[in-house]
Amino acid sequence: SKIKNEVIDSYLGWIWIFLEPLIFMLIYAFISVVVFGRTQEYLAAFIFIGLTIWKFFNSSVVSSVRLVPTNRDTVTKVYVPKFILLLIDSLQNLFKLFISFILVGFFMIYYQVDISWNILYIFPIILVLFIITFGFACLFMHFGVFVDDLNKIVPLGLRFIFYLSGIFYSISDRVPKPYSELLLICNPIACLIHEARNVLLYSTAPDILTIFIWFIIGLFLCFIGIRTIYKYENTYVKVMR
């Protein structure tokens, strides 16, 4: 599997799955406190939650663009529904996400965060994240077969979204209204990061209506994406020959 290969190729082994997001968290914490002179309650956990959710979305979408060409032998020689390749890749990234949330738990213990039943909302939030990500990834996987330069364009677009998602800052605190409200409504990753922090760190209930709307949108994207892949999957083989 992808995870097994990554671990075998790394001298740090399984530790790297924990260490990589931890290093990025320290970098962004340094930038926030030392460079910008801003602090945030539960800073390490606050940043780490944002990074964990972003990394899942970013990794899944970026890898989806070249997923079919990368698995050329499988696609051309053995028939499997092409979206299964994406599902496997997404589940592997989901596994990494859950490992990262173990570290979030340690940060919460360190900060002595008050725990309430609202913490259970993290599971539907992760579910919506998975569905939204899978829907977008299906579409990028399809177009990635036909547009070679998409693997260069997508990371640039994602970098722009990264800075609009509140990874290392609070959108509601740092962005003036009504722009902050628009970002939290129109950007699903910003919305889910914001709500994940609310339920894990601040013991508050999420905006259930907004999350439900993104759940429906995610299902629609998945339906369109899977249907498109089914319609054109025979064309993928011809394009790669």
Side-chain angles (χ1 to χ4, degrees):
S1 68
K2 178 181 176 182
I3 294 177
K4 184 178 179 181
N5 290 336
E6 288 179 1
V7 170
I8 289 174
D9 291 339
S10 172
Y11 291 110
L12 294 177
W14 286 95
I15 297 175
W16 183 246
I17 295 180
F18 290 96
L19 193 59
E20 182 184 14
L22 187 61
I23 290 172
F24 279 107
M25 182 276 296
L26 293 173
I27 292 171
Y28 288 117
F30 174 84
I31 292 173
S32 179
V33 175
V34 178
V35 178
F36 293 107
R38 296 173 177 174
T39 187
Q40 176 76 42
E41 188 178 17
Y42 313 130
L43 179 63
F46 180 91
I47 294 176
F48 203 83
I49 290 170
L51 281 173
T52 297
I53 291 176
W54 172 258
K55 185 171 174 55
F56 171 79
F57 177 77
N58 183 74
S59 298
S60 298
V61 172
V62 169
S63 64
S64 70
V65 177
R66 300 299 297 168
L67 194 60
V68 173
T70 301
N71 292 274
R72 184 177 183 277
D73 290 340
T74 301
V75 171
T76 56
K77 296 179 181 178
V78 180
Y79 175 75
V80 291
K82 305 305 178 286
F83 76 92
I84 295 295
L85 298 173
L86 181 58
L87 181 61
I88 293 172
D89 187 70
S90 298
L91 289 174
Q92 290 172 343
N93 288 327
L94 185 65
F95 175 75
K96 294 180 182 180
L97 178 139
F98 278 115
I99 288 179
S100 291
F101 268 113
I102 293 175
L103 278 180
V104 172
F106 284 120
F107 282 125
M108 292 171 65
I109 294 171
Y110 172 78
Y111 285 116
Q112 297 181 337
V113 175
D114 292 331
I115 303 298
S116 73
W117 288 107
N118 286 322
I119 196 174
L120 297 178
Y121 280 112
I122 192 61
F123 294 106
I125 288 173
I126 291 174
L127 174 62
V128 175
L129 172 66
F130 183 87
I131 291 173
I132 283 286
T133 303
F134 187 78
F136 278 115
C138 280
L139 296 174
F140 281 113
M141 185 181 88
H142 167 72
F143 290 109
V145 177
F146 304 100
V147 183
D148 290 336
D149 290 335
L150 197 61
N151 65 319
K152 300 181 181 67
I153 298 171
V154 168
L156 293 176
L158 288 173
R159 179 55 57 181
F160 177 72
I161 296 173
F162 172 88
Y163 291 110
L164 296 179
S165 298
I167 309 299
F168 52 92
Y169 66 93
S170 171
I171 290 177
S172 57
D173 293 340
R174 304 297 183 186
V175 180
K177 294 182 179 180
Y179 304 110
S180 59
E181 295 172 343
L182 286 173
L183 275 178
L184 291 175
I185 292 174
C186 299
N187 180 348
I189 305 306
C191 171
L192 295 174
I193 289 173
H194 177 75
E195 299 300 349
R197 287 166 174 164
N198 280 342
V199 303
L200 292 175
L201 301 180
Y202 307 119
S203 300
T204 59
D207 184 343
I208 296 176
L209 177 60
T210 303
I211 291 177
F212 179 73
I213 290 172
W214 277 114
F215 174 72
I216 298 300
I217 293 173
L219 289 179
F220 177 75
L221 289 173
C222 289
F223 172 76
I224 296 298
I226 292 174
R227 184 178 181 182
T228 302
I229 291 170
Y230 262 123
K231 182 177 180 180
Y232 291 96
E233 62 181 0
N234 291 332
T235 308
Y236 300 163
V237 178
K238 297 176 183 177
V239 170
M240 291 186 296
R241 282 178 179 172

